[in-house]
Amino acid sequence: MRLPRWRDRLLTAAVLVTVWMLLWGVFSWANLISGLLVAAVVITVFPLPPVTVAGRPHPVALLRLAWRFVIDLVAASFQLAVLAFRFGHQPRSAIIRVPLRVPSDLVLTLTGEAVSLVPGSLIVDTDRASTTLYIHVIGVADRAAVERFRHEVYETEARIVRAIGSDDEIRRLSDPPPVEKRRQL
Amino acid sequence: MIVVGIIASVLLCAAVSLVLVRIVRGPTTLDRIVAVDVLLAIVVCAIAAEAAYTRDATSLPILVVLSILGFVGSVAVARFSPRSRR
Amino acid sequence: MTVQTVADVLAGTCLISGAFLSLAAGVGLLRFPDLLNRMHAATKPQVLGLLLILAGTALRLQNTIDITTLVLVGVFQLATAPVAAHMVGRAVYRAGHVRRDLLIVDELAEDRADAQPPSR
């Protein structure tokens, strides 16, 4: 158990040092050393809840994820702009349940972030126990559009898992979507 | 570049005035919080556009502060807003 | 037609589209029927609009120190906007400010009704 914890801490420290460097804008040894000091202080004073990073990054899948994210972002932004300028048209929306196939906090968080950064969809609630996202979608006309959107969320999940997941998690993607998982409050 | 500056500032001013209408109208606190969040995002856009227009980077550190501030503000209000009024 | 001109034209395009998205967000914010729908309009200037304008600014400034600051603004915004939106969205739903007549389905309400007893 000790090794993954140190790996997570090193990852956090690396991110913090990167932010520190970006803030100063120049690479220098003084910045690197002060950044490491600040990161050490932050990690000891504000310990984060452990996020288990089970997988490893797959570069090609990461690039594909980033590319599709940009495409989705641009397309959805302009669709929503069109919707805003269609005066007299009352957009319909829906709140849908999407139980994810991979039971991982990291995948749940990243899928939620990706879905909610793309305009037109918004996370209303989550259930950690069954890794379920409840998503509010705007501009869906009927049931068929709702199902299309649900399928898109599953594809986003699949892209994220292929980019950062472990082999076991990638294997789970071919499972059928868990329909029967229900919220337990 | 002058034309770009004029068009961008007209669009941004129109956006800000629409958002201000929403802030005044409400009707709930959460409506106003969402609108204030948008206002902040547009202000960040406007400051960045001004920096681009004048090629002057003096105001860039303000953007870093503002991008964090909006987050802290809306999370705080959402956390402590009344739970249910049904 | 120098490299500088091309950069300026690109920057101008980015700035104007970003400003246009902000305006569309303003219209949506004013016009959409309920708060959750308005929050969708709010995402636009916060994400793509801001990124476009930051890209335009980066193209104009062309200076490493300034560009790292801009990257940082973009990263902060992308990391924090979903969290804030989720917090507000949850509060909105639980406070009941939802126009149910405009929803096609509400599977969250179904699941909350199934869970016994309601926790809040």
Side-chain angles (χ1 to χ4, degrees), chain C residues 10-93:
Chain C
L10 274 178
T13 318
C14 285
L15 288 177
I16 289 181
S17 4
F20 168 74
L21 282 178
S22 300
L23 177 66
V27 173
L29 200 65
L30 205 58
R31 205 180 72 78
F32 284 163
D34 72 347
L35 187 43
L36 283 176
N37 284 324
R38 283 181 211 136
M39 288 183 67
H40 291 301
T43 332
K44 255 177 305 174
Q46 286 174 344
V47 185
L48 186 62
L50 187 74
L51 288 183
L52 280 173
I53 288 198
L54 291 179
T57 312
L59 281 171
R60 286 280 288 175
L61 292 176
Q62 294 171 353
N63 171 336
T64 330
I65 298 182
D66 300 334
I67 290 177
T68 53
T69 315
L70 293 172
V71 169
L72 206 58
V73 173
V75 168
F76 278 159
Q77 189 70 28
L78 286 189
T80 56
V83 184
H86 168 56
M87 291 290 284
V88 177
R90 212 164 90 114
V92 169
Y93 189 86

Side-chain angles (χ1 to χ4, degrees), chain A residues 49 59 65 79 84 148 176:
Chain A
L65 172 71
Q79 268 169 26
R148 266 203 303 282

Side-chain angles (χ1 to χ4, degrees), chain A residues 24-35:
Chain A
W24 286 104
V26 277
F27 177 85
S28 71
W29 291 104
N31 274 348
L32 183 67
I33 292 165
S34 55

Side-chain angles (χ1 to χ4, degrees), chain A residues 10-173:
Chain A
L10 278 180
L11 216 64
T12 318
V15 171
L16 287 171
V17 171
T18 314
V19 169
W20 183 258
M21 299 287 235
L22 285 174
L23 209 52
W24 286 104
V26 277
F27 177 85
S28 71
W29 291 104
N31 274 348
L32 183 67
I33 292 165
S34 55
L36 283 173
L37 278 177
V38 171
V41 170
V42 168
I43 290 175
T44 41
V45 178
F46 307 107
L48 288 167
V51 177
T52 43
V53 186
R56 57 193 176 77
H58 306 265
V60 179
L62 264 175
L63 277 180
R64 192 176 297 144
L65 172 71
W67 175 242
R68 270 307 296 263
F69 177 71
V70 172
I71 298 271
D72 284 353
L73 191 62
V74 174
S77 290
F78 283 95
Q79 268 169 26
L80 206 59
V82 168
L83 203 62
F85 282 113
R86 268 174 74 185
F87 294 103
H89 169 78
Q90 190 87 296
R92 301 289 302 267
S93 47
I95 296 178
I96 66 168
R97 167 203 324 122
V98 185
L100 297 183
R101 289 164 293 189
V102 178
S104 144
D105 285 349
L106 189 66
V107 172
L108 182 73
T109 313
L110 288 179
T111 312
E113 289 240 350
V115 166
S116 96
L117 278 176
V118 172
S121 47
L122 180 85
I123 309 296
V124 181
D125 215 336
T126 56
D127 184 36
R128 195 181 158 198
S130 63
T131 54
T132 303
L133 292 171
Y134 292 90
I135 305 173
H136 184 268
V137 218
I138 193 178
V140 282
D142 47 21
R143 282 272 179 178
V146 169
E147 293 309 318
R148 266 203 303 282
F149 180 77
R150 203 193 302 269
H151 184 68
E152 274 173 34
V153 177
Y154 278 124
E155 288 200 331
T156 307
E157 183 206 6
R159 279 196 292 275
I160 287 173
V161 171
R162 290 211 182 90
I164 55 143
S166 61
D167 293 344
D168 181 47
E169 286 172 343
I170 294 176
R171 222 170 293 122
R172 272 171 183 276
L173 285 177

